[in-house]
Amino acid sequence: MSNLVRIIISSLLLIGTIALFFYGEWGWGILGILITIIAFVTVFFNENMLIAQFYLRKENMTKAAQWLSRITNYEKQLIRAQHGYYHLLLGLMESQKSPMQSEKYFKKALTLGLHMGHNVALAKLSLAGIAMAKRNKREATKYLQEAKKADKNKLLADQIKMMKDQMGMMDRQQIRYR
């Protein structure tokens, strides 16, 4: 359902709720306020994205993919602020199946914009892992530094440290094989 339809439905619910209060139906009016708030929230937070994030946290990738597939045209169904997060979720799911193919989703998510620093750090950390898998140390180092800078709350500090350690081991392996 497009956002325009959601806004129209929410506005009609608000008008109906005001009419209930006007006619003295306070109980139904309070229920109408709650329903109107839920309808307005779905304009800014798409329910399919919220449920897909829930299943991603539970590591149920099939259900998360099922809920994300319900978003057929993300440009019409999501507000512009959610476009990057949509591609981030697609990248996270794709990285479970084939990590090299998920690079395009992470790059698109970064170009569309992620507003929270830890999400930017997560995307850059994933790109660093992909660059390490491709044996591109310069690019992996660049993404790791950017991820460390973006992770202001140190939510991904352990993963960044682990990735740096793996990169150090990658150097030692190259020396052994020469």
Side-chain angles (χ1 to χ4, degrees):
M1 183 181 324
S2 73
N3 278 336
L4 183 62
V5 173
R6 290 172 197 254
I7 291 171
I8 292 170
I9 290 173
S10 300
S11 300
L12 291 175
L13 282 170
L14 181 63
I15 291 169
T17 302
I18 292 171
L20 285 171
F21 280 122
F22 182 74
Y23 289 116
E25 299 290 334
W26 288 92
W28 289 108
I30 292 171
L31 181 65
I33 285 176
L34 295 175
I35 293 172
T36 304
I37 289 172
I38 290 171
F40 269 119
V41 165
T42 63
V43 171
F44 300 107
F45 301 104
N46 188 290
E47 68 276 0
N48 294 322
M49 293 264 295
L50 292 173
I51 295 171
Q53 286 175 348
F54 171 76
Y55 283 122
L56 273 174
R57 287 188 188 128
K58 298 289 182 185
E59 296 181 9
N60 190 344
M61 297 298 169
T62 55
K63 285 195 175 183
Q66 182 182 20
W67 280 98
L68 269 183
S69 67
R70 291 183 181 193
I71 300 173
T72 53
N73 186 357
Y74 74 92
E75 291 174 341
K76 286 186 179 178
Q77 289 179 306
L78 304 174
I79 60 173
R80 184 166 290 151
Q82 287 184 327
H83 292 182
Y85 290 101
Y86 174 72
H87 286 283
L88 179 69
L89 290 177
L90 286 175
L92 288 172
M93 288 190 326
E94 187 69 29
S95 67
Q96 298 292 322
K97 293 185 274 186
S98 57
M100 297 298 184
Q101 302 299 321
S102 64
E103 181 179 16
K104 64 182 175 187
Y105 293 116
F106 290 125
K107 285 185 177 180
K108 180 108 180 192
L110 288 171
T111 57
L112 289 173
L114 299 170
H115 298 287
M116 301 182 92
H118 62 274
N119 289 327
V120 173
L122 176 65
K124 293 196 180 209
L125 185 65
S126 299
L127 286 171
I130 293 167
M132 279 179 56
K134 290 181 176 179
R135 299 280 187 202
N136 190 345
K137 185 180 177 195
R138 181 179 296 148
E139 189 175 341
T141 305
K142 180 186 86 164
Y143 281 130
L144 272 177
Q145 288 172 348
E146 291 174 1
K148 189 173 184 178
K149 190 180 354 174
D151 188 27
K152 292 179 177 75
N153 295 332
K154 307 294 183 218
L155 295 173
L156 297 172
D158 293 337
Q159 287 85 352
I160 291 171
K161 184 180 180 299
M162 216 167 32
M163 192 78 80
K164 283 184 179 179
D165 293 342
Q166 288 176 352
M167 196 179 309
M169 291 177 66
M170 189 172 80
D171 290 340
R172 288 187 211 125
Q173 288 175 349
Q174 286 177 351
I175 293 170
R176 286 184 199 157
Y177 293 125
R178 286 185 183 174

